[in-house]
Amino acid sequence: MGITVYSVVISIVFYNLALIAVFILRRSPGFRAKHTVELLLFITLLGAVRLLIPIDFDAYVLRSYKVLPAIEDFLRNPLIGSLTPGKLLLLGWLIGSAVTLIRKLRIQRDFDRGLNDIDFVDRPHVLEIAAQFGGSFAVLISPQLHSSYASGLLHPVIYLPDLDLSDDEWRMIFRHEITHIRSHDNWKKLFFI
């Protein structure tokens, strides 16, 4: 028995269900710190095993030409006036997306406001290293920060702790943070997390 379309689809479905479980469990800091990488590797291994060693029992395949018309009828039949289940689902999705986006923008705004209470220091040597990378981003250094990170949607800023590091270590930090900026990770976080 070889790899079938059914095996591929079921492998993808099970893999995504497991990812949803990891997404829910990752909210626990202890779980995230101890198990996330191992669990993702385990899920990937299980997905590959399911794909390469298909165990297909006598499955009943639902034919879309039989099922799809019933689903379409359900979604298009009015519940109250012209309100249909399809419109309700779309409305729920739009409201949920808007609420999530507003929430994330508020979190970013509060974060940016919190930066007003931080004292930044001038480190010309570190700024010279940053200038070697080019790009349009600001660099702010503070002894009150504990780790480096990039922030900002339209005007990226690299925030750095005030550390005594070698030039090579600073370059590694800048490479990492600039990769976040060039990959538009802040935009991705806004819409996907």
Side-chain angles (χ1 to χ4, degrees), residues 48-96:
V49 167
R50 174 64 184 94
L51 179 63
L52 298 175
I53 308 172
I55 304 169
D56 296 337
F57 299 104
D58 290 332
Y60 178 75
V61 178
L62 295 174
R63 303 290 177 201
S64 62
Y65 62 85
K66 291 182 179 179
V67 177
L68 190 57
I71 294 172
E72 288 175 344
D73 286 344
F74 170 74
L75 292 175
R76 291 182 179 159
N77 283 336
L79 294 174
I80 303 169
S82 66
L83 191 61
T84 65
K87 289 179 181 177
L88 281 175
L89 288 172
L90 179 62
L91 183 64
W93 176 78
L94 288 172
I95 290 171

Side-chain angles (χ1 to χ4, degrees), residues 43-186:
I43 291 169
T44 303
L45 177 67
L46 287 181
V49 167
R50 174 64 184 94
L51 179 63
L52 298 175
I53 308 172
I55 304 169
D56 296 337
F57 299 104
D58 290 332
Y60 178 75
V61 178
L62 295 174
R63 303 290 177 201
S64 62
Y65 62 85
K66 291 182 179 179
V67 177
L68 190 57
I71 294 172
E72 288 175 344
D73 286 344
F74 170 74
L75 292 175
R76 291 182 179 159
N77 283 336
L79 294 174
I80 303 169
S82 66
L83 191 61
T84 65
K87 289 179 181 177
L88 281 175
L89 288 172
L90 179 62
L91 183 64
W93 176 78
L94 288 172
I95 290 171
S97 297
V99 167
T100 302
L101 183 62
I102 290 169
R103 182 177 158 266
K104 289 184 178 192
L105 288 171
R106 282 185 176 171
I107 289 170
Q108 184 64 43
R109 181 200 64 201
D110 293 345
F111 174 78
D112 291 341
R113 285 182 181 170
L115 292 174
N116 293 334
D117 299 331
I118 293 178
D119 298 320
F120 294 103
V121 296
D122 188 29
R123 297 286 181 257
H125 179 67
V126 175
L127 297 177
E128 287 173 13
I129 295 171
Q132 295 171 4
F133 290 93
S136 59
F137 57 86
V139 177
L140 297 174
I141 303 167
S142 173
Q144 294 166 294
L145 297 174
H146 301 292
S147 64
S148 61
Y149 57 93
S151 183
L153 297 173
L154 300 176
H155 306 288
V157 178
I158 296 177
Y159 295 94
L160 300 169
D162 188 19
L163 301 173
D164 185 26
L165 301 174
S166 70
D167 290 357
D168 287 337
E169 290 171 320
W170 281 118
R171 283 187 191 94
M172 284 192 300
I173 290 172
F174 280 116
R175 274 190 210 103
H176 178 87
E177 298 306 331
I178 290 169
T179 300
H180 285 302
I181 292 170
R182 290 183 179 153
S183 299
H184 306 288
D185 288 344
N186 287 327

